[in-house]
Amino acid sequence: MTTFSELGLSECIVRAVSEHGYTTPTPIQQQAIPAVIKGGDLLAGAQTGTGKTAGFTLPILERLSKGANAPKNKTDRRPIRALVLTPTRELAAQVEESVSTYGKHTNLNSGVIFGGVGINPQIKLLKNGVDILVATPGRLLDHKQQGTIDLSHIEILVLDEADRMLDMGFIHDIKKVLAVLPAKRQNLLFSATFSDEIKTLADRLLNNPAMIEVARRNSTVEVIAQKVHPVDRDKKHPLLAHLIKTHSWNQVLVFTRTKHGANKLVEQLINDGINSMAIHGNKSQSARTKALAEFKDGSLTVLVATDIAARGIDIDQLPHVVNFDLPNVPEDYVHRIGRTGRAGATGEAVSLVCVDEFKLLADIEKLIKRQLPQEIIDGFIPDPHAKAQPIQLRSFQGQGQGRGNSGGGAGGGNRSGNRPSRPAQAAPREGNPARSPVKATVKQSTPRRSGGRGSA
Ligand code: AMP
């Protein structure tokens, strides 16, 4: 079995990794680490959950801690030598945490900048200088415009979750950043999917890149037990409360389609005595950070999130993900359920599906190439005559990706506000769906223990 030191990492980096509890490199790490240490460009197809963050942070730390420019101590002022761009604030914060964890025995230091929070502490940070900067594109450009950042010494650029950055409308921001970076640099592009847009960006950005593709999430999700509970539209909330209480779930990430839906559900769950908070683009950064911290440390039972806000939520051993609404875009289902079962842990993902969502369910099943088992919960049998209604999509409300506090997880802005490549409205199917949920077996959900944490 390959070890981290066999991949070419120095003792001080390997020590930090093993202190963090990792003994064996994941497949993406086995391939990416030597390739990045060599110094060439890299195109990596890897989703979150594969260990991709360490896949690029470890070799970057290795490269920057060696050679003539290597810092002699942690504190001297120094120029930014590596820049990591991420689509969301949460992901930026997490990547920087990884850099700082894995780099703790090196002389390298790191910092993070994103929108939605005060700019002055960031100006101070940049003035003091960091070796590795993690940023969301909008706030980075704000600093550039204000003349508070010097990007002229960048040796390594990483575009993390590039597909999501394009999806969120950051292409213009990315181009502006590329235009001010030194021409001679190493470029690393990580993306879960390869649309034509990503290929165009890769062609423009990368020079003779090493190419790596690790198993797609939708082929590695086998460790995640997936299930559909067919239910009437207006019974979703009582069903969710029932599942949480009867199974004593104590750490549940719930996805809703809209910010309004997230707020409403939180109110309802709190009324049921279930400790819940929402995380979405209309929440202030401090509210989002608080919700995430409490959810991570186990003091919050339910975190209700919209898709973009949830990007970058990385919780080891997250046991339950619930799709309160199915996502409009099948790929988002894979991203959502990828929050559980990470790095080999087992997890459970359940979807509450009403008549409006049969077409969305069929699209998801087509993408993941399997039918999801359905189970009707006793007491929540859906009305077989229910008519589908059009689904209210988020597009026109947007996910609030503008700058400042409305940022939908991003520190910068999607100037257009919408996600143009996505359909404006999902066509609901009436009656007779591809698979009728009423065919599913009715099973009593067995109460295990009454009132787990968060139950009334
Ligand atoms: P990422 O794909 O970078 O978001 O990482 C997914 C999860 O895998 C995170 O929770 C990491 O802490 C964890 N992880 C990363 N590398 C390893 C490793 N070599 N062994 C075990 N877990 C890891």
Side-chain angles (χ1 to χ4, degrees):
M1 213 185 296
T2 318
T3 63
F4 281 103
S5 31
E6 283 164 357
L7 297 177
L9 297 169
S10 301
E11 186 277 333
C12 62
I13 297 173
V14 175
R15 184 154 39 102
V17 169
S18 68
E19 283 168 5
H20 196 60
Y22 301 156
T23 46
T24 316
T26 65
I28 183 87
Q29 291 161 3
Q30 289 187 25
Q31 297 179 63
I33 292 170
V36 177
I37 290 177
K38 264 194 200 160
D41 285 359
L42 174 70
L43 177 61
Q47 297 201 340
T48 173
T50 51
K52 70 180 169 57
T53 313
F56 63 81
T57 39
L58 297 176
I60 290 176
L61 287 164
E62 180 66 33
R63 293 206 64 209
L64 298 187
S65 61
K66 293 274 169 64
N69 294 336
K72 305 283 177 291
N73 57 48
K74 276 259 185 202
T75 50
D76 276 358
R77 287 190 55 183
R78 66 277 301 268
I80 305 164
R81 295 171 61 205
L83 173 66
V84 182
L85 289 181
T86 74
T88 68
R89 300 169 189 169
E90 281 77 13
L91 184 60
Q94 251 167 232
V95 169
E96 198 271 333
E97 204 181 310
S98 297
V99 176
S100 137
T101 303
Y102 304 138
K104 67 180 179 184
H105 300 307
T106 69
N107 283 332
L108 297 163
N109 62 28
S110 56
V112 60
I113 58 173
F114 48 67
V117 293
I119 201 163
N120 288 335
Q122 298 178 355
I123 294 176
K124 201 169 157 209
L125 170 96
L126 294 171
K127 215 169 171 183
N128 288 336
V130 289
D131 301 290
I132 301 168
L133 181 71
V134 187
T136 51
R139 182 53 70 89
L140 184 78
L141 286 174
D142 287 343
H143 281 283
K144 186 67 201 154
Q145 272 151 20
Q146 293 193 23
T148 48
I149 196 166
D150 175 7
L151 296 172
S152 65
H153 293 86
I154 299 290
E155 297 166 34
I156 308 173
L157 170 73
V158 182
L159 297 186
D160 192 15
E161 304 206 352
D163 51 346
R164 187 51 62 135
M165 281 200 270
L166 298 192
D167 212 14
M168 290 169 67
F170 286 132
I171 186 67
H172 301 297
D173 285 352
I174 290 171
K175 283 183 182 163
K176 282 186 196 162
V177 175
L178 295 182
V180 297
L181 297 181
K184 189 172 171 299
R185 56 169 200 267
Q186 182 178 18
N187 299 292
L188 317 177
L189 189 151
F190 285 77
S191 186
T193 53
F194 288 97
S195 61
D196 289 345
E197 235 183 332
I198 287 285
K199 284 181 197 140
T200 309
L201 178 67
D203 279 349
R204 183 192 155 137
L205 182 72
L206 305 174
N207 181 16
N208 195 17
M211 301 220 229
I212 293 176
E213 173 124 40
V214 296
R216 292 282 317 273
R217 257 283 164 200
N218 44 6
S219 58
T220 59
V221 288
E222 271 64 38
V223 286
I224 304 168
Q226 301 168 68
K227 201 189 278 181
V228 166
H229 293 310
V231 63
D232 284 336
R233 192 183 305 114
D234 58 348
K235 295 281 171 19
K236 283 191 175 189
H237 150 247
L239 174 57
L240 177 61
H242 170 84
L243 291 171
I244 292 171
K245 288 186 179 186
T246 52
H247 297 298
S248 301
W249 288 349
N250 55 21
Q251 200 184 29
V252 194
L253 178 61
V254 178
F255 285 92
T256 59
R257 198 174 291 126
T258 64
K259 289 174 274 192
H260 172 71
N263 290 342
K264 189 170 148 204
L265 181 60
V266 164
E267 266 174 42
Q268 291 170 321
L269 291 174
I270 289 174
N271 281 338
D272 297 325
I274 297 170
N275 187 8
S276 318
M277 279 197 222
I279 182 167
H280 57 63
N282 280 359
K283 295 276 176 188
S284 69
Q285 188 56 38
S286 60
R288 287 161 54 166
T289 307
K290 180 172 181 287
L292 196 54
E294 290 187 14
F295 189 58
K296 277 189 175 180
D297 74 19
S299 51
L300 177 69
T301 309
V302 177
L303 184 66
V304 184
T306 54
D307 287 290
I308 289 179
R311 265 317 258 207
I313 293 180
D314 173 18
I315 297 157
D316 284 344
Q317 318 276 326
L318 176 62
H320 302 286
V321 168
V322 175
N323 293 306
F324 188 81
D325 303 312
L326 284 185
N328 311 318
V329 178
E331 284 80 5
D332 279 347
Y333 174 83
V334 180
H335 288 302
R336 286 178 178 191
I337 70 164
R339 309 288 109 194
T340 184
R342 290 162 83 81
T346 51
E348 185 180 34
V350 306
S351 302
L352 312 188
V353 178
C354 74
V355 63
D356 310 338
E357 301 173 304
F358 293 159
K359 166 76 169 69
L360 298 179
L361 180 60
D363 290 346
I364 288 165
E365 292 181 329
K366 199 167 148 207
L367 175 77
I368 63 173
K369 299 193 178 72
R370 62 199 265 197
Q371 284 205 337
L372 296 173
Q374 301 198 354
E375 181 189 325
I376 293 172
I377 301 294
D378 205 21
F380 296 91
I381 300 175
D383 173 2
H385 307 296
K387 291 260 187 296
Q389 291 180 6
I391 292 171
Q392 169 70 49
L393 296 190
R394 64 188 166 205
S395 315
F396 299 108
Q397 298 174 324
Q399 277 272 333
Q401 292 153 21
R403 293 188 179 202
N405 281 344
S406 66
N414 169 2
R415 309 285 147 66
S416 65
N418 294 338
R419 304 173 77 178
S421 57
R422 304 209 156 169
Q425 192 173 73
R429 269 194 203 166
E430 286 207 10
N432 199 24
R435 292 163 72 210
S436 168
V438 284
K439 279 188 208 141
T441 46
V442 181
K443 216 179 183 178
Q444 175 102 37
S445 71
T446 356
R448 282 182 204 155
R449 215 169 6 112
S450 63
R453 182 153 32 114
S455 301

